[in-house]
Amino acid sequence: MDVNQVLKKIDNKSYFKKHIPGLNLNGKKQVKCHCPLHDDKNPSLSIDIEQGLFQCFGCGEKGNAIQFMEKLRGVDFRSEERRVGKEC
């Protein structure tokens, strides 16, 4: 399974909610929260729930759902892609 197939299988709402404590999914396409990738005092992480993309305006990290978990867990992209593929 290639990365695009894995990304299509991810339920972005559940995926980000599971991995970001306190994420408030308010029914909007775009949500903001504290970034778990750094010591975030103000909500600086923006997540596009429909597309599964994130961007942090505090630490500068951005990417797709797999890249988010890669950075959060501190593992390489291929390992995280395989893990997510099995999880979905």
Side-chain angles (χ1 to χ4, degrees):
M1 189 179 318
D2 75 3
V3 67
N4 290 322
Q5 290 173 318
V6 173
L7 288 169
K8 286 179 184 178
K9 293 180 98 177
I10 296 173
D11 174 353
N12 293 314
K13 286 181 184 180
S14 298
Y15 188 78
F16 282 106
K17 181 75 172 163
K18 177 179 178 181
H19 298 292
I20 302 175
L23 179 62
N24 181 15
L25 296 172
N26 54 13
K28 295 182 180 178
K29 175 186 172 187
Q30 201 86 13
V31 295
K32 286 193 91 171
C33 62
H34 289 93
C35 180
L37 302 176
H38 65 99
D39 185 23
D40 199 3
K41 303 289 187 229
N42 298 305
S44 61
L45 181 65
S46 178
I47 303 170
D48 183 319
I49 295 298
E50 289 180 6
Q51 294 184 13
L53 300 173
F54 76 96
Q55 181 172 3
C56 180
F57 297 98
C59 66
E61 295 290 351
K62 62 183 175 179
N64 61 42
I66 295 172
Q67 291 166 319
F68 178 78
M69 290 308 298
E70 168 194 15
K71 294 172 187 331
L72 187 64
R73 294 179 194 268
V75 298
D76 67 278
F77 184 82
R78 293 292 170 219
S79 295
E80 189 59 27
E81 178 187 4
R82 283 190 299 276
R83 190 196 65 74
V84 172
K86 290 177 185 176
E87 187 178 291
C88 291

